[in-house]
Amino acid sequence: MDNAARPAPPPGGFSARHLVSIGDLSYADAVYLLDLAACYAPFIRDGRRPVQRLEGKTQVNLFYEDSTRTNYSFELAGLKLGADVVNVQVAASSVNKGESLADTAGTLAAMGASAIVLRHKEPRAPEMLADLVPCPVINAGDGAREHPTQALLDAMTIRETLGGIERRVIAICGDVKHSRVAASSAQLFERLGAQVRFVAPEHLMPPKDQFSTIARAHSLKDGLDGADVVMALRMQFERMEGEQRQDAARGYFERFGLTHETMKLARPGAKVMHPGPMNRGVEIDGALADDPACSLILRQVFYGVPVRMACLDALATGGM
Ligand code: NCD
C-alpha cells in the first residue's frame, strides 16, 4: 500500500497502547482501524504484498485455548506485513512444567517480542500481561469476557456489506451469557451508532445489571423484527455447568434456531452472521449458514485478516 492510500491517523495519533478490551479504543481509533483494514483488504483479496510495515518485528501468538480462525488469521496478518511470527506451542512449552503465564510472557518479551497476541481462559489475563510486558498485548479472547478483534471484524463485515453500520438494527442471538464475542461486539456496534438487541431465553441472557443500554428480547419474533443483521452465537457448552450443559440445547433449535424460515421475521434481505465455530442444527441451520445470498459467515473470516493486520500495524507502530 502506498502511503497516500493509508487513512490519516486520528487527530493526536492512534491512542491505544494495548487492545485488551473494546473500551481501549476511542471512537476515532476504532474508525481508523476499520479504515486501515479497508485499505488492506484488497491486498488479501488480490494476493498482493503490502508495504512490509512490520519488517524486523516479532509477533508472538500465545494461545492457551483452542482456536482456528483467530489463531491463523493473526498469523497470516503478521506474515502479510513482514513480521517474524512465532506460534508458541503451549502444549509443548514449559507451561507444562508449571511455568506461569507471567513468566512465559516475560521470557518471550525478553527475546524481543514487538507484540503478544494472547488467548486465555482466565478473564483479564491479557490485562495482567499488559502491565508486565513492554510491548502491546492484543486480547484474542479471555474466557467469557471480551474478544475485541472479533468485534472489529464483525463491524467491518457489516460496514463493508451494508455500506455503513450507523442506525442498522443488529440482533445478537443465542448464548449471550457465555459469549465474549457478544460482549465486545455489542459495545462496539453501539458505539458506531447501531441499534443492538440481545435475543435469547432468560437462562442464556447476561445478568440484568450488565449491558443495561442494550434491549433484550425473549423470542425470535420480537428480537428479529426490523433487524438488518442477525448474528448467531455458538452454544458454549464448555462454559456451562453440569445440568445446564445437558439441558441447554433441548428445544432450543425449535424456539431460537436460525433458518431460512425464521429469518423471514427479520427485515427482507437481512443478513446472517456467526463468529464460528458453528453448531449446525443447534443455533443455526446448515442450509442458511451455507447460503451466500444471506450468509456473511465466510466474509467475516475473510475480514479477520485485514482487521488483524490493521490492529498489529497500529499497535506495533503507533499508526504512524
Ligand atoms: C469465538 C471465540 O473463540 O471466542 N470464535 C472465534 O474467535 N471466531 C466464538 C466461540 O467460541 O463461540
Side-chain angles (χ1 to χ4, degrees), residues 65-67 70 119-121 139-148 150-151 175-186 234 236 238-239:
E65 256 189 17
D66 298 342
S67 173
T70 307
R119 169 168 285 194
H120 204 283
K121 69 175 190 325
N139 178 5
D142 58 336
R145 204 187 72 89
E146 283 233 25
H147 194 350
Q150 180 72 38
D175 184 5
V176 182
K177 183 176 181 176
H178 301 102
S179 176
R180 54 195 178 198
V181 176
S184 292
S185 293
R234 183 173 64 87
Q236 290 144 88
E238 77 281 11
R239 301 209 170 106

Side-chain angles (χ1 to χ4, degrees), residues 59 70 129 151 213 253 261 320:
Q59 172 191 333
T70 307
L129 201 62
T213 59
F253 187 76
E261 199 50 38
M320 305 310 278

Side-chain angles (χ1 to χ4, degrees), residues 158-219:
I158 296 170
R159 196 180 86 156
E160 300 302 297
T161 306
L162 303 186
I165 186 164
E166 220 174 316
R167 287 188 294 278
R168 297 295 185 174
V169 178
I170 305 171
I172 300 181
C173 184
D175 184 5
V176 182
K177 183 176 181 176
H178 301 102
S179 176
R180 54 195 178 198
V181 176
S184 292
S185 293
Q187 292 179 65
L188 180 64
F189 297 164
E190 208 174 37
R191 199 119 62 79
L192 295 173
Q195 203 183 307
V196 187
R197 316 172 173 147
F198 290 150
V199 187
E202 192 53 46
H203 68 283
L204 296 178
M205 282 286 188
K208 285 225 160 55
D209 56 341
Q210 290 174 14
F211 308 104
S212 54
T213 59
I214 295 177
R216 298 178 180 213
H218 294 94
S219 70

Side-chain angles (χ1 to χ4, degrees), residues 5-205:
R6 289 179 72 83
F14 183 80
S15 60
R17 293 289 155 262
H18 302 278
L19 184 47
V20 165
S21 305
I22 203 68
D24 293 339
L25 299 174
S26 65
Y27 176 82
D29 281 348
V31 172
Y32 172 71
L33 288 176
L34 298 180
D35 290 345
L36 187 53
C39 290
Y40 281 134
F43 286 89
I44 304 303
R45 200 174 279 127
D46 306 340
R48 287 182 290 123
R49 196 168 284 288
V51 171
Q52 301 290 279
R53 296 264 303 167
L54 300 185
E55 185 151 14
K57 304 218 182 262
T58 302
Q59 172 191 333
V60 175
N61 293 340
L62 192 48
F63 280 63
Y64 285 79
E65 256 189 17
D66 298 342
S67 173
T68 305
R69 279 153 279 265
T70 307
N71 197 352
Y72 291 118
S73 63
F74 264 115
E75 179 171 6
L76 260 177
L79 292 172
K80 293 284 177 191
L81 290 173
D84 298 313
V85 182
V86 179
N87 286 302
V88 178
Q89 303 301 319
V90 170
S93 70
S94 290
V95 170
N96 270 351
K97 300 179 186 165
E99 189 172 60
S100 69
L101 168 62
D103 286 341
T104 303
T107 302
L108 296 162
M111 290 180 194
S114 319
I116 298 179
V117 179
L118 176 67
R119 169 168 285 194
H120 204 283
K121 69 175 190 325
E122 279 307 315
R124 302 203 179 274
E127 198 170 312
M128 184 269 279
L129 201 62
D131 284 339
L132 294 176
V133 294
C135 64
V137 172
I138 302 181
N139 178 5
D142 58 336
R145 204 187 72 89
E146 283 233 25
H147 194 350
T149 61
Q150 180 72 38
L152 285 162
L153 76 87
D154 289 340
M156 182 77 186
T157 304
I158 296 170
R159 196 180 86 156
E160 300 302 297
T161 306
L162 303 186
I165 186 164
E166 220 174 316
R167 287 188 294 278
R168 297 295 185 174
V169 178
I170 305 171
I172 300 181
C173 184
D175 184 5
V176 182
K177 183 176 181 176
H178 301 102
S179 176
R180 54 195 178 198
V181 176
S184 292
S185 293
Q187 292 179 65
L188 180 64
F189 297 164
E190 208 174 37
R191 199 119 62 79
L192 295 173
Q195 203 183 307
V196 187
R197 316 172 173 147
F198 290 150
V199 187
E202 192 53 46
H203 68 283
L204 296 178
M205 282 286 188

